[in-house]
Amino acid sequence: MAEHVVIVGSGPAGWSAAIYTARANLKPLCFEGAITEDNRQLGTLPLGQLSLTTEVENYAGFPAGDMSAYLKSSLPEEHSWLADQHHKQGVSGPELMHLMRQQAANFGTRIVTDDIVEVDFNVRPFRLRSSQGEWVEAHSVIIATGARANYLGLPSEDKYKNRGVSACAVCDGALPRFRNKPLVVVGGGDSAVEEADYLSKFASVVYMIHRRDALRASKIMADRALNNKKINIQWNTEVEEVLGEDKAGVTGVKLKSTVGEPSRTLEAAGMFVAIGHTPNTVFLEGKLAMTPKKYLQWTVPFRTNTSVEGVFAAGDVADDYYRQAITAAGSGCQAALDAERWLAGKGL
Ligand code: NAP
């Protein structure tokens, strides 16, 4: 029998959609993603980008406080280790995601730990194939597969992820380890300027590492970087290696010149990579309308509809502008309500 709604993805958008559709008695089936080495390398493991961050201080409802007892009582046995790791300051990304997952499960969401790798939206009900080769049928689908930050791809960068290497200044920039220290931002677009500007509030100096001699950022943003005394742009340079120590994490970067100057090093307590994001939409190529950068297109203003009636999109997979946990969660709720109303309209 066809499912009422299948949700693909397990970040804040996916779990919020699951919580709302479950409470609407639609018995959602959620494919949270597979736990594979490929997904780890790509940054697409279950529970999304938040599970790759540390403290989350800007998700409303989680002020600083000791949540260990609550985590102990609310999480199932297999996730209870999180309670012992709780750091007594608000909530961490992994904690928040496990709590959302548990909340969705509490309302009856069925969870499959696998990827959807193929879809057929030309038939009704829709058909979706998991990586294990199983097909499921669904009257409606919510895509919430998110996006992944692009990294430089250096082994040393991978080694220090979460120990000074980050792709989100808004998420991690205010951490004590970065305060009053020199920091590095890689990239020359609007995101890089935005990150550098934000970090300049905490850092002693922010080095922007850009591979060319002109910023890609819009004029107004470029001026912001050029006029900020704490931002120091290192033109025509690329990061060759992230330097660090096992205990301290990042201690600096080794830079190579793109115009033949000698290599050199810079001392820094953190490196923020801002070289763009890639939405997780490969399995949807040719099936749903996308922007030139392969984000899913919302086709109705202020709604989560996609180009196929009955398929909805929520979170970063369709949003390259806000990209926050709380905005993703909000659009997951919207997609659930859109799906619920669409199904009701069809009598399904
Ligand atoms: P982007 O505009 O594509 O810029 C990416 C930057 O990263 C470029 O400067 C690029 O260098 C550099 N880069 C890419 N790959 C690299 C690599 N392997 N090594 C070193 N550098 C690399 O991406 P974005 O800044 O994330 O912006 C995405 C979109 O969101 C844009 O349309 C932007 O306008 C928008 N946005 C707007 C705002 C705002 O208005 N406040 C804020 C954030 C984002 P090159 O320049 O040499 O290609």
Side-chain angles (χ1 to χ4, degrees), residues 33 130 195 289:
S130 73
E195 304 248 306

Side-chain angles (χ1 to χ4, degrees), residues 152 187-192 194 210-212 216 221 274-276 293:
L152 297 168
D190 280 334
S191 295
E194 201 168 59
H210 186 37
R211 60 188 179 183
R212 294 188 293 126
R216 176 174 297 280
M221 294 295 278
I275 59 172
K293 289 191 174 165

Side-chain angles (χ1 to χ4, degrees), residues 10-12 15 32 45-59 62 67 70-71 74-76 78-87 89-103 161-162 171-172 175 325:
S10 58
W15 294 128
E32 66 173 346
L45 283 173
L47 305 184
Q49 294 182 82
L50 263 201
S51 68
L52 304 174
T53 68
T54 48
E55 290 89 339
V56 177
E57 296 176 341
N58 56 7
Y59 195 95
F62 291 92
M67 285 184 54
Y70 178 64
L71 284 163
S74 65
L75 290 174
E78 70 266 28
H79 297 146
S80 60
W81 54 270
L82 275 168
D84 302 322
Q85 299 214 329
H86 179 68
H87 48 70
Q89 285 186 29
V91 70
S92 77
E95 285 167 1
L96 183 56
M97 295 321 301
H98 278 283
L99 286 168
M100 285 191 194
R101 184 184 191 276
Q102 189 57 38
Q103 194 173 356
K161 270 185 197 163
N162 271 340
C171 317
D172 301 330
L175 298 178

Side-chain angles (χ1 to χ4, degrees), residues 125-194:
F126 304 124
R127 300 182 78 227
L128 302 96
R129 185 169 66 84
S130 73
S131 77
Q132 298 297 313
E134 245 177 78
W135 284 94
V136 290
E137 293 188 338
H139 294 301
S140 71
V141 175
I142 296 173
I143 306 286
T145 44
R148 55 187 188 274
N150 296 338
Y151 283 90
L152 297 168
L154 304 168
S156 55
E157 174 191 55
D158 200 36
K159 181 171 174 192
Y160 293 110
K161 270 185 197 163
N162 271 340
R163 290 192 297 147
V165 171
S166 165
C168 182
V170 180
C171 317
D172 301 330
L175 298 178
R177 68 181 307 148
F178 299 128
R179 297 238 166 194
N180 301 315
K181 304 268 174 56
L183 300 175
V184 157
V185 171
V186 186
D190 280 334
S191 295
V193 173
E194 201 168 59

Side-chain angles (χ1 to χ4, degrees), residues 257-275:
S257 163
T258 56
V259 290
E261 310 264 320
S263 293
R264 60 208 162 88
T265 59
L266 276 181
E267 203 183 298
M271 179 176 92
F272 291 80
V273 187
I275 59 172

